[in-house]
C-alpha cells in the first residue's frame, strides 16, 4: 500500500520561498504520475503542478514561473519549490499520485493522496 507524506509547510512572508516534499512509502516503484494540489480557505481544491515519470511537468497558470515541481525517483520523493509567494498561495498543499499511469493525463483523478501540509502567507 502506497502512502504519501508531505512536509515543508509553514509560515512565510509574501515574496518568500518554501520547498515542500512528499515522501512515498510502501512501494517498490516510484514511476507514477504525481502532482501537487492545494485547497485554500473557502476554496475548492485545485491542481498546482504535475510531473510524469520521465520528468515532464505542467503547471497551473497561477504558479507558472514561480513554482517548480521535481522528483527524485531514487529517493521516492516529490518536491515543490515555491518562490515569490503571494497571499493567494496560502493553502493546504496535498501530494497525490496516479498509481496506474506514468504519464499524467490532464483531468484524470489521482488515486492516492497525502494528508496535506499547511502553507500560510503573511503580508
Amino acid at each position: 500500500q502506497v502512502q504519501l507524506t508531505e512536509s515543508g509547510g509553514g509560515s512565510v512572508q509574501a515574496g518568500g520561498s518554501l520547498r515542500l516534499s512528499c515522501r512515498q512509502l510502501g512501494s517498490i516503484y516510484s514511476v507514477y504520475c504525481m502532482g501537487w494540489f492545494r485547497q485554500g480557505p473557502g476554496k475548492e481544491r485545485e491542481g498546482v503542478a504535475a510531473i510524469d515519470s520521465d520528468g515532464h511537468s505542467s503547471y497551473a497558470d497561477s504558479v507558472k514561473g514561480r513554482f517548480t515541481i521535481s522528483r527524485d525517483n531514487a529517493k521516492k520523493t516529490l518536491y515543490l519549490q515555491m518562490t515569490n509567494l503571494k497571499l493567494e498561495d496560502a493553502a493546504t498543499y496535498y501530494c497525490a499520485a496516479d498509481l496506474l499511469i506514468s504519464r499524467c493525463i490532464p483531468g484524470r483523478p489521482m488515486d492516492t493522496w497525502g494528508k496535506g501540509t499547511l502553507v500560510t502567507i503573511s503580508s
Side-chain angles (χ1 to χ4, degrees), residues 20-105:
L20 306 182
S21 299
C22 172
R23 183 79 188 278
Q24 177 190 315
L25 301 175
S27 173
I28 298 175
Y29 304 107
S30 61
V31 287
Y32 312 121
C33 164
M34 299 192 74
W36 288 97
F37 294 75
R38 68 185 182 187
Q39 186 167 17
K43 298 181 180 179
E44 293 187 354
R45 187 174 63 194
E46 62 175 349
V48 175
I51 187 167
D52 296 339
S53 60
D54 61 2
H56 177 265
S57 58
S58 60
Y59 298 90
D61 288 342
S62 59
V63 305
K64 280 181 181 177
R66 300 188 298 120
F67 291 11
T68 303
I69 189 172
S70 62
R71 65 194 299 166
D72 185 330
N73 289 340
K75 294 183 178 179
K76 297 181 181 179
T77 302
L78 179 72
Y79 302 100
L80 184 68
Q81 179 68 50
M82 306 185 293
T83 63
N84 190 21
L85 283 161
K86 303 178 180 181
L87 294 176
E88 53 264 38
D89 293 320
T92 298
Y93 282 72
Y94 299 90
C95 168
D98 188 328
L99 304 184
L100 298 179
I101 59 175
S102 60
R103 179 157 292 184
C104 299
I105 300 173

